[in-house]
Amino acid sequence: MLKRCIIFLIGVLSLLFFGLLLPQPIQALMVLVESPIKDFFSQHSLILCVAVGIIQGLFEEGGYYLVFRTILKKEKSKETPIVFGLGRSSLHTIFDVGTIFSAGMSIFGCLIAVVGRIFSFGALMGLTLIDYKSITQKRVVYLALSIVLHAIMNGVIYAIELELLSANNNLDSIFMIGFSCVVIIISVLICKKTSSEKV
C-alpha cells in the first residue's frame, strides 16, 4: 500500500514538474515576454499551436519516460504504470474540472466539458501505458507515438482556445472526447500486441 502511494505521489509530482514547471517558462517566452520570438508567434498563430503541442508532448511524455527509466526502474509490476498514471491523470482532471466550474458555462456546456475531461483522463492513462511499454519493450517508437499524440491533443485544444477553430462552442470538448477515444484504442492495441508477443 505504501509503495502504491509513493508511485501515485511520483505521478503527481511528475505532472507538476514536467507538465508545468519546465514547459511554462518556454511557452511564456513565446507569448508573454516582449521579444522577436513573441512577435513571430503573434503573427503565426498556427505555428504557435504546433509549437505548444510539441513542447507539452516532449516535456510530459518524455519526462514520464525518464521517470520510468530512473526513479521507477525497479518497479516492474503491471500496477506501476496504472498507479503512476492515476497520479498524473487525477491531478490533471481535477484542475480541468475546477476550471470548467469556475468558467460560468451553461449546464449543457458544463456537462459536455466534464464528459470531455473524463475521456481525457482515459487518454492520459493510455499515454502513460504507451510510455511504460516503450521502456519494457525497448521500443522508442512507442515514446515517439506518445509524444505525437499528446502534441496533437494540446495543439488542437490551444488552437480552439485562440479561436482559430471556432465552428462550435463545445468544439474543444467534442474534440477531446473523439481524440481521447483514438488514444485509448491505440494504447489498448499496443498493450494487446505486446502481451501476445510474450506468449
Side-chain angles (χ1 to χ4, degrees), residues 82-120:
I82 295 170
V83 176
F84 177 90
L86 285 172
R88 163 200 184 178
S89 306
S90 297
L91 183 62
H92 210 299
T93 303
I94 289 168
F95 175 77
D96 286 347
V97 171
T99 304
I100 290 166
F101 286 125
S102 64
M105 296 181 179
S106 66
I107 294 174
F108 176 75
C110 190
L111 179 63
I112 194 169
V114 169
V115 171
R117 272 31 181 207
I118 291 170
F119 274 83
S120 173

PDB file of all heavy atoms in Angstrom, residues 82-120:
ATOM      1  N   ILE A  82      -0.153   2.007 -14.037  1.00  0.00           N
ATOM      2  CA  ILE A  82      -1.530   2.361 -13.701  1.00  0.00           C
ATOM      3  C   ILE A  82      -1.576   3.312 -12.519  1.00  0.00           C
ATOM      4  O   ILE A  82      -2.241   4.352 -12.552  1.00  0.00           O
ATOM      5  CB  ILE A  82      -2.365   1.087 -13.422  1.00  0.00           C
ATOM      6  CG1 ILE A  82      -2.472   0.254 -14.702  1.00  0.00           C
ATOM      7  CG2 ILE A  82      -3.757   1.458 -12.905  1.00  0.00           C
ATOM      8  CD1 ILE A  82      -3.053  -1.121 -14.511  1.00  0.00           C
ATOM      9  N   VAL A  83      -0.821   2.978 -11.454  1.00  0.00           N
ATOM     10  CA  VAL A  83      -0.807   3.824 -10.260  1.00  0.00           C
ATOM     11  C   VAL A  83      -0.145   5.166 -10.571  1.00  0.00           C
ATOM     12  O   VAL A  83      -0.635   6.228 -10.162  1.00  0.00           O
ATOM     13  CB  VAL A  83      -0.088   3.111  -9.089  1.00  0.00           C
ATOM     14  CG1 VAL A  83       0.009   4.032  -7.879  1.00  0.00           C
ATOM     15  CG2 VAL A  83      -0.811   1.825  -8.718  1.00  0.00           C
ATOM     16  N   PHE A  84       0.962   5.133 -11.326  1.00  0.00           N
ATOM     17  CA  PHE A  84       1.630   6.373 -11.742  1.00  0.00           C
ATOM     18  C   PHE A  84       0.676   7.222 -12.581  1.00  0.00           C
ATOM     19  O   PHE A  84       0.551   8.428 -12.378  1.00  0.00           O
ATOM     20  CB  PHE A  84       2.889   6.040 -12.543  1.00  0.00           C
ATOM     21  CG  PHE A  84       3.611   7.242 -13.076  1.00  0.00           C
ATOM     22  CD1 PHE A  84       4.612   7.856 -12.330  1.00  0.00           C
ATOM     23  CD2 PHE A  84       3.298   7.771 -14.325  1.00  0.00           C
ATOM     24  CE1 PHE A  84       5.286   8.978 -12.827  1.00  0.00           C
ATOM     25  CE2 PHE A  84       3.961   8.884 -14.819  1.00  0.00           C
ATOM     26  CZ  PHE A  84       4.955   9.479 -14.068  1.00  0.00           C
ATOM     27  N   GLY A  85      -0.002   6.552 -13.535  1.00  0.00           N
ATOM     28  CA  GLY A  85      -0.942   7.260 -14.398  1.00  0.00           C
ATOM     29  C   GLY A  85      -2.094   7.871 -13.635  1.00  0.00           C
ATOM     30  O   GLY A  85      -2.568   8.961 -13.969  1.00  0.00           O
ATOM     31  N   LEU A  86      -2.554   7.175 -12.575  1.00  0.00           N
ATOM     32  CA  LEU A  86      -3.625   7.735 -11.746  1.00  0.00           C
ATOM     33  C   LEU A  86      -3.164   9.026 -11.073  1.00  0.00           C
ATOM     34  O   LEU A  86      -3.931   9.993 -10.981  1.00  0.00           O
ATOM     35  CB  LEU A  86      -4.065   6.718 -10.689  1.00  0.00           C
ATOM     36  CG  LEU A  86      -4.922   5.552 -11.199  1.00  0.00           C
ATOM     37  CD1 LEU A  86      -5.119   4.522 -10.094  1.00  0.00           C
ATOM     38  CD2 LEU A  86      -6.259   6.050 -11.710  1.00  0.00           C
ATOM     39  N   GLY A  87      -1.917   9.057 -10.615  1.00  0.00           N
ATOM     40  CA  GLY A  87      -1.380  10.282 -10.005  1.00  0.00           C
ATOM     41  C   GLY A  87      -1.311  11.413 -11.006  1.00  0.00           C
ATOM     42  O   GLY A  87      -1.743  12.538 -10.740  1.00  0.00           O
ATOM     43  N   ARG A  88      -0.806  11.099 -12.182  1.00  0.00           N
ATOM     44  CA  ARG A  88      -0.689  12.103 -13.237  1.00  0.00           C
ATOM     45  C   ARG A  88      -2.061  12.568 -13.715  1.00  0.00           C
ATOM     46  O   ARG A  88      -2.337  13.759 -13.790  1.00  0.00           O
ATOM     47  CB  ARG A  88       0.087  11.481 -14.403  1.00  0.00           C
ATOM     48  CG  ARG A  88      -0.051  12.227 -15.696  1.00  0.00           C
ATOM     49  CD  ARG A  88       0.297  11.348 -16.879  1.00  0.00           C
ATOM     50  NE  ARG A  88       0.252  12.139 -18.100  1.00  0.00           N
ATOM     51  CZ  ARG A  88       0.539  11.668 -19.296  1.00  0.00           C
ATOM     52  NH1 ARG A  88       0.902  10.420 -19.435  1.00  0.00           N
ATOM     53  NH2 ARG A  88       0.469  12.438 -20.358  1.00  0.00           N
ATOM     54  N   SER A  89      -2.933  11.612 -14.039  1.00  0.00           N
ATOM     55  CA  SER A  89      -4.221  11.922 -14.659  1.00  0.00           C
ATOM     56  C   SER A  89      -5.210  12.550 -13.689  1.00  0.00           C
ATOM     57  O   SER A  89      -5.972  13.437 -14.070  1.00  0.00           O
ATOM     58  CB  SER A  89      -4.822  10.653 -15.264  1.00  0.00           C
ATOM     59  OG  SER A  89      -3.907  10.040 -16.132  1.00  0.00           O
ATOM     60  N   SER A  90      -5.216  12.088 -12.437  1.00  0.00           N
ATOM     61  CA  SER A  90      -6.181  12.611 -11.453  1.00  0.00           C
ATOM     62  C   SER A  90      -5.966  14.095 -11.214  1.00  0.00           C
ATOM     63  O   SER A  90      -6.926  14.878 -11.234  1.00  0.00           O
ATOM     64  CB  SER A  90      -6.062  11.848 -10.129  1.00  0.00           C
ATOM     65  OG  SER A  90      -6.386  10.488 -10.312  1.00  0.00           O
ATOM     66  N   LEU A  91      -4.715  14.483 -10.999  1.00  0.00           N
ATOM     67  CA  LEU A  91      -4.426  15.898 -10.743  1.00  0.00           C
ATOM     68  C   LEU A  91      -4.808  16.742 -11.958  1.00  0.00           C
ATOM     69  O   LEU A  91      -5.405  17.816 -11.823  1.00  0.00           O
ATOM     70  CB  LEU A  91      -2.944  16.080 -10.402  1.00  0.00           C
ATOM     71  CG  LEU A  91      -2.518  17.500 -10.050  1.00  0.00           C
ATOM     72  CD1 LEU A  91      -3.250  18.001  -8.803  1.00  0.00           C
ATOM     73  CD2 LEU A  91      -1.010  17.577  -9.839  1.00  0.00           C
ATOM     74  N   HIS A  92      -4.482  16.255 -13.132  1.00  0.00           N
ATOM     75  CA  HIS A  92      -4.812  16.954 -14.382  1.00  0.00           C
ATOM     76  C   HIS A  92      -6.322  17.147 -14.502  1.00  0.00           C
ATOM     77  O   HIS A  92      -6.809  18.242 -14.814  1.00  0.00           O
ATOM     78  CB  HIS A  92      -4.294  16.125 -15.563  1.00  0.00           C
ATOM     79  CG  HIS A  92      -3.907  16.930 -16.753  1.00  0.00           C
ATOM     80  ND1 HIS A  92      -4.792  17.716 -17.439  1.00  0.00           N
ATOM     81  CD2 HIS A  92      -2.721  17.067 -17.396  1.00  0.00           C
ATOM     82  CE1 HIS A  92      -4.176  18.302 -18.447  1.00  0.00           C
ATOM     83  NE2 HIS A  92      -2.916  17.923 -18.447  1.00  0.00           N
ATOM     84  N   THR A  93      -7.078  16.072 -14.225  1.00  0.00           N
ATOM     85  CA  THR A  93      -8.534  16.116 -14.359  1.00  0.00           C
ATOM     86  C   THR A  93      -9.165  17.024 -13.311  1.00  0.00           C
ATOM     87  O   THR A  93     -10.093  17.781 -13.624  1.00  0.00           O
ATOM     88  CB  THR A  93      -9.112  14.689 -14.256  1.00  0.00           C
ATOM     89  OG1 THR A  93      -8.496  13.867 -15.255  1.00  0.00           O
ATOM     90  CG2 THR A  93     -10.618  14.695 -14.483  1.00  0.00           C
ATOM     91  N   ILE A  94      -8.680  16.966 -12.079  1.00  0.00           N
ATOM     92  CA  ILE A  94      -9.202  17.838 -11.009  1.00  0.00           C
ATOM     93  C   ILE A  94      -9.015  19.304 -11.380  1.00  0.00           C
ATOM     94  O   ILE A  94      -9.926  20.124 -11.235  1.00  0.00           O
ATOM     95  CB  ILE A  94      -8.511  17.526  -9.664  1.00  0.00           C
ATOM     96  CG1 ILE A  94      -8.979  16.161  -9.136  1.00  0.00           C
ATOM     97  CG2 ILE A  94      -8.798  18.615  -8.629  1.00  0.00           C
ATOM     98  CD1 ILE A  94      -8.152  15.628  -7.984  1.00  0.00           C
ATOM     99  N   PHE A  95      -7.837  19.628 -11.899  1.00  0.00           N
ATOM    100  CA  PHE A  95      -7.555  21.004 -12.313  1.00  0.00           C
ATOM    101  C   PHE A  95      -8.488  21.427 -13.447  1.00  0.00           C
ATOM    102  O   PHE A  95      -9.074  22.512 -13.415  1.00  0.00           O
ATOM    103  CB  PHE A  95      -6.090  21.124 -12.760  1.00  0.00           C
ATOM    104  CG  PHE A  95      -5.749  22.475 -13.321  1.00  0.00           C
ATOM    105  CD1 PHE A  95      -5.536  23.558 -12.485  1.00  0.00           C
ATOM    106  CD2 PHE A  95      -5.660  22.672 -14.698  1.00  0.00           C
ATOM    107  CE1 PHE A  95      -5.234  24.815 -13.008  1.00  0.00           C
ATOM    108  CE2 PHE A  95      -5.364  23.913 -15.222  1.00  0.00           C
ATOM    109  CZ  PHE A  95      -5.146  24.988 -14.375  1.00  0.00           C
ATOM    110  N   ASP A  96      -8.652  20.546 -14.445  1.00  0.00           N
ATOM    111  CA  ASP A  96      -9.500  20.867 -15.597  1.00  0.00           C
ATOM    112  C   ASP A  96     -10.968  21.050 -15.193  1.00  0.00           C
ATOM    113  O   ASP A  96     -11.631  21.985 -15.632  1.00  0.00           O
ATOM    114  CB  ASP A  96      -9.399  19.771 -16.661  1.00  0.00           C
ATOM    115  CG  ASP A  96      -8.075  19.815 -17.410  1.00  0.00           C
ATOM    116  OD1 ASP A  96      -7.359  20.820 -17.287  1.00  0.00           O
ATOM    117  OD2 ASP A  96      -7.765  18.829 -18.110  1.00  0.00           O
ATOM    118  N   VAL A  97     -11.471  20.136 -14.359  1.00  0.00           N
ATOM    119  CA  VAL A  97     -12.874  20.208 -13.930  1.00  0.00           C
ATOM    120  C   VAL A  97     -13.106  21.453 -13.082  1.00  0.00           C
ATOM    121  O   VAL A  97     -14.131  22.136 -13.213  1.00  0.00           O
ATOM    122  CB  VAL A  97     -13.285  18.923 -13.171  1.00  0.00           C
ATOM    123  CG1 VAL A  97     -14.660  19.091 -12.536  1.00  0.00           C
ATOM    124  CG2 VAL A  97     -13.291  17.727 -14.123  1.00  0.00           C
ATOM    125  N   GLY A  98     -12.139  21.782 -12.223  1.00  0.00           N
ATOM    126  CA  GLY A  98     -12.235  23.008 -11.423  1.00  0.00           C
ATOM    127  C   GLY A  98     -12.316  24.242 -12.297  1.00  0.00           C
ATOM    128  O   GLY A  98     -13.098  25.164 -12.024  1.00  0.00           O
ATOM    129  N   THR A  99     -11.520  24.244 -13.369  1.00  0.00           N
ATOM    130  CA  THR A  99     -11.533  25.361 -14.316  1.00  0.00           C
ATOM    131  C   THR A  99     -12.895  25.472 -15.007  1.00  0.00           C
ATOM    132  O   THR A  99     -13.410  26.572 -15.222  1.00  0.00           O
ATOM    133  CB  THR A  99     -10.431  25.171 -15.382  1.00  0.00           C
ATOM    134  OG1 THR A  99      -9.177  25.033 -14.725  1.00  0.00           O
ATOM    135  CG2 THR A  99     -10.379  26.353 -16.327  1.00  0.00           C
ATOM    136  N   ILE A 100     -13.477  24.322 -15.344  1.00  0.00           N
ATOM    137  CA  ILE A 100     -14.792  24.296 -16.011  1.00  0.00           C
ATOM    138  C   ILE A 100     -15.858  24.934 -15.123  1.00  0.00           C
ATOM    139  O   ILE A 100     -16.634  25.787 -15.553  1.00  0.00           O
ATOM    140  CB  ILE A 100     -15.191  22.850 -16.365  1.00  0.00           C
ATOM    141  CG1 ILE A 100     -14.295  22.324 -17.486  1.00  0.00           C
ATOM    142  CG2 ILE A 100     -16.662  22.760 -16.773  1.00  0.00           C
ATOM    143  CD1 ILE A 100     -14.365  20.829 -17.681  1.00  0.00           C
ATOM    144  N   PHE A 101     -15.895  24.526 -13.844  1.00  0.00           N
ATOM    145  CA  PHE A 101     -16.933  25.023 -12.934  1.00  0.00           C
ATOM    146  C   PHE A 101     -16.756  26.506 -12.606  1.00  0.00           C
ATOM    147  O   PHE A 101     -17.719  27.191 -12.271  1.00  0.00           O
ATOM    148  CB  PHE A 101     -16.966  24.192 -11.651  1.00  0.00           C
ATOM    149  CG  PHE A 101     -17.576  22.832 -11.840  1.00  0.00           C
ATOM    150  CD1 PHE A 101     -16.895  21.686 -11.482  1.00  0.00           C
ATOM    151  CD2 PHE A 101     -18.846  22.692 -12.400  1.00  0.00           C
ATOM    152  CE1 PHE A 101     -17.458  20.430 -11.663  1.00  0.00           C
ATOM    153  CE2 PHE A 101     -19.421  21.439 -12.589  1.00  0.00           C
ATOM    154  CZ  PHE A 101     -18.725  20.303 -12.212  1.00  0.00           C
ATOM    155  N   SER A 102     -15.522  26.993 -12.716  1.00  0.00           N
ATOM    156  CA  SER A 102     -15.295  28.411 -12.420  1.00  0.00           C
ATOM    157  C   SER A 102     -15.498  29.305 -13.648  1.00  0.00           C
ATOM    158  O   SER A 102     -15.444  30.523 -13.550  1.00  0.00           O
ATOM    159  CB  SER A 102     -13.874  28.613 -11.877  1.00  0.00           C
ATOM    160  OG  SER A 102     -12.915  28.279 -12.872  1.00  0.00           O
ATOM    161  N   ALA A 103     -15.752  28.679 -14.808  1.00  0.00           N
ATOM    162  CA  ALA A 103     -15.873  29.448 -16.051  1.00  0.00           C
ATOM    163  C   ALA A 103     -17.276  29.987 -16.295  1.00  0.00           C
ATOM    164  O   ALA A 103     -17.492  30.773 -17.206  1.00  0.00           O
ATOM    165  CB  ALA A 103     -15.437  28.582 -17.236  1.00  0.00           C
ATOM    166  N   GLY A 104     -18.259  29.551 -15.506  1.00  0.00           N
ATOM    167  CA  GLY A 104     -19.624  30.044 -15.653  1.00  0.00           C
ATOM    168  C   GLY A 104     -20.300  29.616 -16.935  1.00  0.00           C
ATOM    169  O   GLY A 104     -20.970  30.409 -17.591  1.00  0.00           O
ATOM    170  N   MET A 105     -20.115  28.347 -17.314  1.00  0.00           N
ATOM    171  CA  MET A 105     -20.733  27.830 -18.537  1.00  0.00           C
ATOM    172  C   MET A 105     -22.214  27.504 -18.304  1.00  0.00           C
ATOM    173  O   MET A 105     -22.665  27.432 -17.168  1.00  0.00           O
ATOM    174  CB  MET A 105     -20.037  26.530 -18.976  1.00  0.00           C
ATOM    175  CG  MET A 105     -18.588  26.660 -19.358  1.00  0.00           C
ATOM    176  SD  MET A 105     -17.973  25.029 -19.856  1.00  0.00           S
ATOM    177  CE  MET A 105     -16.285  25.454 -20.276  1.00  0.00           C
ATOM    178  N   SER A 106     -22.911  27.267 -19.406  1.00  0.00           N
ATOM    179  CA  SER A 106     -24.288  26.776 -19.304  1.00  0.00           C
ATOM    180  C   SER A 106     -24.247  25.345 -18.762  1.00  0.00           C
ATOM    181  O   SER A 106     -23.191  24.709 -18.756  1.00  0.00           O
ATOM    182  CB  SER A 106     -24.957  26.780 -20.678  1.00  0.00           C
ATOM    183  OG  SER A 106     -24.325  25.827 -21.529  1.00  0.00           O
ATOM    184  N   ILE A 107     -25.400  24.846 -18.331  1.00  0.00           N
ATOM    185  CA  ILE A 107     -25.451  23.483 -17.780  1.00  0.00           C
ATOM    186  C   ILE A 107     -25.006  22.461 -18.825  1.00  0.00           C
ATOM    187  O   ILE A 107     -24.208  21.567 -18.537  1.00  0.00           O
ATOM    188  CB  ILE A 107     -26.873  23.150 -17.269  1.00  0.00           C
ATOM    189  CG1 ILE A 107     -27.208  24.038 -16.066  1.00  0.00           C
ATOM    190  CG2 ILE A 107     -26.985  21.677 -16.895  1.00  0.00           C
ATOM    191  CD1 ILE A 107     -28.621  23.902 -15.563  1.00  0.00           C
ATOM    192  N   PHE A 108     -25.498  22.610 -20.071  1.00  0.00           N
ATOM    193  CA  PHE A 108     -25.116  21.676 -21.131  1.00  0.00           C
ATOM    194  C   PHE A 108     -23.627  21.781 -21.435  1.00  0.00           C
ATOM    195  O   PHE A 108     -22.936  20.772 -21.578  1.00  0.00           O
ATOM    196  CB  PHE A 108     -25.923  21.928 -22.403  1.00  0.00           C
ATOM    197  CG  PHE A 108     -25.505  21.058 -23.556  1.00  0.00           C
ATOM    198  CD1 PHE A 108     -25.868  19.715 -23.594  1.00  0.00           C
ATOM    199  CD2 PHE A 108     -24.724  21.572 -24.585  1.00  0.00           C
ATOM    200  CE1 PHE A 108     -25.478  18.903 -24.655  1.00  0.00           C
ATOM    201  CE2 PHE A 108     -24.322  20.769 -25.640  1.00  0.00           C
ATOM    202  CZ  PHE A 108     -24.696  19.433 -25.678  1.00  0.00           C
ATOM    203  N   GLY A 109     -23.151  23.030 -21.542  1.00  0.00           N
ATOM    204  CA  GLY A 109     -21.732  23.247 -21.830  1.00  0.00           C
ATOM    205  C   GLY A 109     -20.845  22.660 -20.743  1.00  0.00           C
ATOM    206  O   GLY A 109     -19.815  22.051 -21.023  1.00  0.00           O
ATOM    207  N   CYS A 110     -21.261  22.835 -19.493  1.00  0.00           N
ATOM    208  CA  CYS A 110     -20.529  22.302 -18.352  1.00  0.00           C
ATOM    209  C   CYS A 110     -20.530  20.779 -18.385  1.00  0.00           C
ATOM    210  O   CYS A 110     -19.497  20.132 -18.160  1.00  0.00           O
ATOM    211  CB  CYS A 110     -21.162  22.815 -17.064  1.00  0.00           C
ATOM    212  SG  CYS A 110     -20.196  22.482 -15.596  1.00  0.00           S
ATOM    213  N   LEU A 111     -21.676  20.202 -18.703  1.00  0.00           N
ATOM    214  CA  LEU A 111     -21.817  18.744 -18.727  1.00  0.00           C
ATOM    215  C   LEU A 111     -20.923  18.117 -19.791  1.00  0.00           C
ATOM    216  O   LEU A 111     -20.188  17.169 -19.519  1.00  0.00           O
ATOM    217  CB  LEU A 111     -23.277  18.362 -18.983  1.00  0.00           C
ATOM    218  CG  LEU A 111     -23.582  16.862 -19.062  1.00  0.00           C
ATOM    219  CD1 LEU A 111     -23.277  16.185 -17.736  1.00  0.00           C
ATOM    220  CD2 LEU A 111     -25.032  16.627 -19.462  1.00  0.00           C
ATOM    221  N   ILE A 112     -20.965  18.670 -21.004  1.00  0.00           N
ATOM    222  CA  ILE A 112     -20.162  18.088 -22.089  1.00  0.00           C
ATOM    223  C   ILE A 112     -18.665  18.311 -21.840  1.00  0.00           C
ATOM    224  O   ILE A 112     -17.829  17.471 -22.191  1.00  0.00           O
ATOM    225  CB  ILE A 112     -20.594  18.631 -23.466  1.00  0.00           C
ATOM    226  CG1 ILE A 112     -19.997  17.756 -24.578  1.00  0.00           C
ATOM    227  CG2 ILE A 112     -20.199  20.079 -23.653  1.00  0.00           C
ATOM    228  CD1 ILE A 112     -20.558  18.033 -25.948  1.00  0.00           C
ATOM    229  N   ALA A 113     -18.333  19.429 -21.180  1.00  0.00           N
ATOM    230  CA  ALA A 113     -16.934  19.694 -20.850  1.00  0.00           C
ATOM    231  C   ALA A 113     -16.422  18.684 -19.827  1.00  0.00           C
ATOM    232  O   ALA A 113     -15.297  18.184 -19.943  1.00  0.00           O
ATOM    233  CB  ALA A 113     -16.779  21.120 -20.323  1.00  0.00           C
ATOM    234  N   VAL A 114     -17.235  18.373 -18.834  1.00  0.00           N
ATOM    235  CA  VAL A 114     -16.851  17.385 -17.817  1.00  0.00           C
ATOM    236  C   VAL A 114     -16.694  16.005 -18.459  1.00  0.00           C
ATOM    237  O   VAL A 114     -15.735  15.282 -18.172  1.00  0.00           O
ATOM    238  CB  VAL A 114     -17.881  17.338 -16.665  1.00  0.00           C
ATOM    239  CG1 VAL A 114     -17.634  16.142 -15.762  1.00  0.00           C
ATOM    240  CG2 VAL A 114     -17.830  18.624 -15.853  1.00  0.00           C
ATOM    241  N   VAL A 115     -17.629  15.650 -19.359  1.00  0.00           N
ATOM    242  CA  VAL A 115     -17.521  14.366 -20.066  1.00  0.00           C
ATOM    243  C   VAL A 115     -16.227  14.325 -20.878  1.00  0.00           C
ATOM    244  O   VAL A 115     -15.522  13.309 -20.897  1.00  0.00           O
ATOM    245  CB  VAL A 115     -18.748  14.137 -20.983  1.00  0.00           C
ATOM    246  CG1 VAL A 115     -18.534  12.919 -21.891  1.00  0.00           C
ATOM    247  CG2 VAL A 115     -20.010  13.957 -20.145  1.00  0.00           C
ATOM    248  N   GLY A 116     -15.900  15.448 -21.515  1.00  0.00           N
ATOM    249  CA  GLY A 116     -14.656  15.528 -22.280  1.00  0.00           C
ATOM    250  C   GLY A 116     -13.440  15.286 -21.409  1.00  0.00           C
ATOM    251  O   GLY A 116     -12.502  14.577 -21.803  1.00  0.00           O
ATOM    252  N   ARG A 117     -13.458  15.842 -20.194  1.00  0.00           N
ATOM    253  CA  ARG A 117     -12.324  15.674 -19.278  1.00  0.00           C
ATOM    254  C   ARG A 117     -12.245  14.252 -18.735  1.00  0.00           C
ATOM    255  O   ARG A 117     -11.158  13.755 -18.457  1.00  0.00           O
ATOM    256  CB  ARG A 117     -12.419  16.676 -18.124  1.00  0.00           C
ATOM    257  CG  ARG A 117     -11.783  18.047 -18.372  1.00  0.00           C
ATOM    258  CD  ARG A 117     -11.840  18.432 -19.796  1.00  0.00           C
ATOM    259  NE  ARG A 117     -11.232  19.705 -20.138  1.00  0.00           N
ATOM    260  CZ  ARG A 117     -11.626  20.433 -21.180  1.00  0.00           C
ATOM    261  NH1 ARG A 117     -12.630  20.025 -21.931  1.00  0.00           N
ATOM    262  NH2 ARG A 117     -11.017  21.556 -21.471  1.00  0.00           N
ATOM    263  N   ILE A 118     -13.396  13.606 -18.592  1.00  0.00           N
ATOM    264  CA  ILE A 118     -13.397  12.193 -18.158  1.00  0.00           C
ATOM    265  C   ILE A 118     -12.748  11.335 -19.241  1.00  0.00           C
ATOM    266  O   ILE A 118     -11.923  10.457 -18.948  1.00  0.00           O
ATOM    267  CB  ILE A 118     -14.830  11.719 -17.846  1.00  0.00           C
ATOM    268  CG1 ILE A 118     -15.347  12.424 -16.586  1.00  0.00           C
ATOM    269  CG2 ILE A 118     -14.873  10.195 -17.666  1.00  0.00           C
ATOM    270  CD1 ILE A 118     -16.821  12.225 -16.312  1.00  0.00           C
ATOM    271  N   PHE A 119     -13.102  11.592 -20.502  1.00  0.00           N
ATOM    272  CA  PHE A 119     -12.464  10.864 -21.602  1.00  0.00           C
ATOM    273  C   PHE A 119     -10.977  11.203 -21.672  1.00  0.00           C
ATOM    274  O   PHE A 119     -10.149  10.332 -21.958  1.00  0.00           O
ATOM    275  CB  PHE A 119     -13.149  11.201 -22.929  1.00  0.00           C
ATOM    276  CG  PHE A 119     -14.338  10.356 -23.229  1.00  0.00           C
ATOM    277  CD1 PHE A 119     -15.589  10.662 -22.697  1.00  0.00           C
ATOM    278  CD2 PHE A 119     -14.229   9.238 -24.038  1.00  0.00           C
ATOM    279  CE1 PHE A 119     -16.699   9.867 -22.967  1.00  0.00           C
ATOM    280  CE2 PHE A 119     -15.330   8.438 -24.323  1.00  0.00           C
ATOM    281  CZ  PHE A 119     -16.578   8.756 -23.779  1.00  0.00           C
ATOM    282  N   SER A 120     -10.654  12.466 -21.410  1.00  0.00           N
ATOM    283  CA  SER A 120      -9.254  12.893 -21.404  1.00  0.00           C
ATOM    284  C   SER A 120      -8.459  12.138 -20.341  1.00  0.00           C
ATOM    285  O   SER A 120      -7.289  11.794 -20.546  1.00  0.00           O
ATOM    286  CB  SER A 120      -9.171  14.401 -21.146  1.00  0.00           C
ATOM    287  OG  SER A 120      -7.845  14.812 -20.983  1.00  0.00           O
TER     288      SER A 120
END
